[in-house]
Amino acid sequence: MKYLQHTLLSLSLAAFTLGCGTDSNTDPLVPEIVSIEIYDADLNSTIHSIVIDEDQAQLYATVLYDDNSSSTATTQLNWDSNDTAVMNVYNGLLTPAANRGTAAISASFRDKLFTTIDKNVAIMPLSDINITSEQDLNITDDTNTSLCHVDINTTGEYTFQTNGTFEDNKTTLAISSNITWMSSNTSVATVGLSTGVVTVITTGMTDINISVFNDINKTLRMDVNITAI
Amino acid sequence: MRILLVLSLLCISLFAEPSGYIGISIEDSTEFFTLKGSDTINASAPQYKIKAGYGEISNFAVEAAFSYMDYSTNVFSSNDSAALMLDITLYKGWDMGYNLYPYLGVGIGMGAMKVERQLEDSLSFSSFNFGGGVRYGISQTYDFDIGVNYKLRTWQTISLVSEDVKVTSHLVNPYIGINYHF
């Protein structure tokens, strides 16, 4: 009987010892959320965001994990605006409302991570645009009208840029989207519809019409006088 | 010798009748966790169990067990706490003579473990288990228990905001214990 008890005890200790494993990994199996970042279409997550009147803007959210991975979670979050008279938001899509001002846009998930992803979005209408050129052309701007003027005396390509000025008269922003360029006289000069690259062909006059969101319009009157060298 | 024989008969008599029992056991094994069917981690998990049951050691018995388990590796967060669980198991035993009672068991369980995650404070799990072992009647009222269990656990879905992930785990855990019959 003692022999049987001894055998049982030995077997039990052996089995117990076999069950003792060693840990092969000290990092948790499931990655942890570090933060949720909000950014706009230009991947700008630090300063945000001038939204032009009557337009919509899409915000995106990315979850960052402690294993350095990330994933997009725009539609999984609950988006909220603290002033819906200024701005509405749904699934990250910002839609300006009737009033002007600043609305704090936040996104939350299960009522957590709220403070980490709070962003302010200033809603300001665009008031004016002005035109500059890469070739440093002398562009005169009539502040009383939406007409500006430039003289050109050689053929070739000219690249123009548009800078927007907003209603606070402080904020300016290079406008690279939602802008259209059209030439009134394509025999004198053509222009890329969205690029602002003007190709001067011959002597004459043409109006380059610039429209931002079909709302803010500007005309660049171009007098071309090709002089023989 | 006669006394031993009488005690042995009493013991068999007690074990042969339905009776209640309580017991303790200690288990140690390595649990294998799987995330989304691919990523894995293993963690040793000593378990301490108190249990109460009713039935015949040589026939059917039902047992409820309350266990404490503390993984030595953080599985779900940087500061996992211990897990508590409740198992209900149905046993079928046989009398093989020499006070030996082999048995098989099948059961289910549930439990929870505190974690420190952004979106979860604790994780629950359910388990299915089966196993077997042998009990040795060491006196009229005590038996020594040794066996092995296979457990398959399904853990609460964990949210990563953009997706929910499922974790399953399984383990084979040998155990030893002692039961008191009354």
Side-chain angles (χ1 to χ4, degrees), chain A residues 2-67:
Chain A
K2 279 186 178 177
Y3 177 75
L4 185 61
Q5 286 178 340
H6 180 76
T7 304
L8 276 173
L9 188 60
S10 300
L11 281 171
S12 66
L13 287 174
F16 189 69
T17 306
L18 280 173
C20 296
T22 55
D23 303 323
S24 62
N25 196 333
T26 54
D27 293 328
L29 175 67
V30 186
E32 176 61 301
I33 299 161
V34 176
S35 65
I36 297 180
E37 296 292 333
I38 294 178
Y39 56 92
D40 61 15
D42 297 325
L43 302 180
N44 182 357
S45 63
T46 54
I47 182 168
H48 213 81
S49 168
I50 308 303
V51 179
I52 298 167
D53 193 16
E54 305 298 330
D55 188 39
Q56 294 181 322
Q58 177 69 53
L59 297 180
Y60 302 91
T62 293
V63 187
L64 306 178
Y65 303 103
D66 60 359
D67 63 356

Side-chain angles (χ1 to χ4, degrees), chain A residues 1 5 8 12 15 19-25 27-33 65 71-73 76 109-110 112-113, chain B residues 28-30 33 35 41-44 72-75 77 116-120 136 146 159-162 174 176:
Chain A
M1 189 66 74
Q5 286 178 340
L8 276 173
S12 66
C20 296
T22 55
D23 303 323
S24 62
N25 196 333
D27 293 328
L29 175 67
V30 186
E32 176 61 301
I33 299 161
Y65 303 103
S71 64
T72 302
Q76 285 85 359
F109 189 79
R110 295 185 188 170
K112 292 190 177 181
L113 300 167
Chain B
D28 197 355
S29 64
T30 298
F33 293 84
L35 171 68
I41 193 173
N42 55 316
S44 64
S72 59
T73 298
N74 289 319
V75 179
S77 70
E116 291 184 6
R117 294 186 58 79
Q118 291 272 14
L119 295 173
E120 290 91 8
Y136 173 65
I146 180 171
S159 175
L160 298 179
V161 180
S162 59
I176 55 174

Side-chain angles (χ1 to χ4, degrees), chain A residues 92-148:
Chain A
L93 183 66
L94 299 171
T95 306
N99 293 350
R100 298 289 172 265
T102 298
I105 303 300
S106 58
S108 63
F109 189 79
R110 295 185 188 170
D111 295 328
K112 292 190 177 181
L113 300 167
F114 191 89
T115 55
T116 61
I117 54 179
D118 198 34
K119 296 280 186 185
N120 289 324
V121 178
I123 311 304
M124 274 186 294
L126 187 66
S127 60
D128 193 15
I129 53 177
N130 61 75
I131 314 298
T132 59
S133 81
E134 272 189 6
Q135 286 76 19
D136 218 14
L137 299 172
N138 182 27
I139 299 172
T140 57
D141 196 348
D142 183 351
T143 54
N144 296 320
T145 67
S146 60
L147 186 67
C148 50

